Amino acid sequence: MERTRPSVVWIHGWGQSPRVWDQSYRWLPDARHSLFTYADCDSVGQMRSRLHQTVSGLTGPVYVIGWSLGGMLALEMVLDSWESGLRTAPNPGDFHCRIERLVLVGATLRFVAEDRASGWPERVVRRMRSQLADKPRETLQKFAESMFSERERRNQEVVVAQMSAAGADTDFTPGGLDTGLAYLAKTDLTQRWQSFIRSRETGGEDKSGKARIAAPQMLWLHGEEDPICPAGALQAVPASMKVLFPGAGHAPFWTEPDRFAEQLRRIAHEHQ
């Protein structure tokens, strides 16, 4: 029996736009694609609600591919579902339980950290919020340019320029940009993630012995030299669940398209 075509949701990161996926979604030609947008979202609550609505309207196997901030929002949604302990989703509001594949690109469990090898200092995020209020376009441009590794800057000037230009076309509202930075500054999913991993290792039961809802298969795709979300932040992610791209920065789908596409095709093939 032939499987239903998968539905894929692509969620971009802070300060960017759905344009960043213009090439990527073509690597899965047999899927139905939905490009998430932050348009008109001035709060994290509105972003979460938009993501819920986007996923709930899909049919067939659902794959979610979240980059950076988008990855954190997607992971948070999955952890919410897992923690609810639901076995099934009889209520349409429980749509996120249907996600079968979650791909986290350049994402992290905690954006802010004292150790620069694991995250950004909180003072840097505060400064960005202040600069954003005074010089929004310059702040977005600088952030976009900072996504690349030293090797990428030397060897891929055209790609760097294209990615920076895409950042200038953000679909975030001014309020959404600020609230997105606030979310990155305060969100820490580490403990929730560790509980999730422990549960998987013990057969997926909670403390009462009740089986939890099956979680989606997860894969972390990350640049080994990511200056935005350092790879050092992924120590809590099992090696079997992550693929590191040597020499790559924060946007491996742009700078390592062949290797990135190979991982996506492998995921789709394994699910057929």
Side-chain angles (χ1 to χ4, degrees), residues 5 21 29 81 192:
R5 292 171 61 195
W21 303 121
S81 172
R192 297 177 67 187

Side-chain angles (χ1 to χ4, degrees), residues 69-217:
L69 169 64
M72 291 185 73
L73 289 170
L75 178 59
E76 185 181 44
M77 182 173 68
V78 168
L79 292 176
D80 286 344
S81 172
W82 172 77
E83 289 167 357
S84 74
L86 298 175
R87 288 179 178 271
T88 59
N91 188 319
D94 298 328
F95 57 83
H96 50 282
C97 301
R98 293 172 43 245
I99 296 174
E100 296 192 19
R101 290 287 188 274
L102 176 60
V103 181
L104 301 163
V105 185
T108 184
L109 297 170
R110 182 183 181 185
F111 186 76
V112 166
E114 295 182 4
D115 178 9
R116 189 62 184 89
S118 299
W120 279 26
E122 186 176 3
R123 58 179 172 76
V124 175
V125 181
R126 288 199 304 268
R127 184 168 65 243
M128 280 185 65
R129 295 182 69 182
S130 177
Q131 293 172 339
L132 186 66
D134 297 331
K135 299 180 179 179
R137 187 175 182 84
E138 291 86 342
T139 304
L140 289 173
Q141 189 75 21
K142 184 176 180 180
F143 182 77
E145 292 172 353
S146 69
M147 294 181 183
F148 302 92
S149 68
E150 289 298 324
R151 190 204 69 176
E152 291 169 338
R153 291 176 183 276
R154 291 194 303 268
N155 302 333
Q156 304 193 50
E157 294 182 3
V158 174
V159 171
V160 172
Q162 288 176 326
M163 190 69 183
S164 298
D169 188 35
T170 182
D171 66 341
F172 281 76
T173 66
L177 288 169
D178 183 67
T179 199
L181 287 179
Y183 173 85
L184 291 173
K186 71 178 183 180
T187 301
D188 186 353
L189 301 176
T190 305
Q191 291 186 352
R192 297 177 67 187
W193 171 259
Q194 290 173 339
S195 295
F196 167 75
I197 292 299
R198 285 195 297 270
S199 176
R200 286 170 58 97
E201 293 173 347
T202 57
E205 294 186 349
D206 63 17
K207 292 181 179 179
S208 67
K210 177 182 177 181
R212 296 183 184 274
I213 184 170
Q217 294 296 314

Side-chain angles (χ1 to χ4, degrees), residues 10-21 36-38 47 65-73 105-107 140 143 147 163 166-167 169-172 176-177 180-181 184 228-229 250-251 253:
W10 301 81
I11 318 170
H12 54 286
W14 183 87
Q16 296 292 310
S17 82
R19 284 182 52 198
V20 301
W21 303 121
F36 180 79
T37 177
Y38 296 91
M47 294 176 188
I65 301 174
W67 175 42
S68 197
L69 169 64
M72 291 185 73
L73 289 170
V105 185
L140 289 173
F143 182 77
M147 294 181 183
M163 190 69 183
D169 188 35
T170 182
D171 66 341
F172 281 76
L177 288 169
L181 287 179
L184 291 173
I228 302 296
C229 295
H250 192 54
F253 51 91

Side-chain angles (χ1 to χ4, degrees), residues 149 151-152 155-156 221-226 231 243-249 252 255-256 259 263:
S149 68
R151 190 204 69 176
E152 291 169 338
N155 302 333
Q156 304 193 50
L221 302 179
H222 212 94
E224 205 167 54
E225 298 180 20
D226 187 337
V243 174
L244 298 180
F245 297 94
T255 59
E256 301 291 338
R259 286 192 287 174
Q263 292 300 323

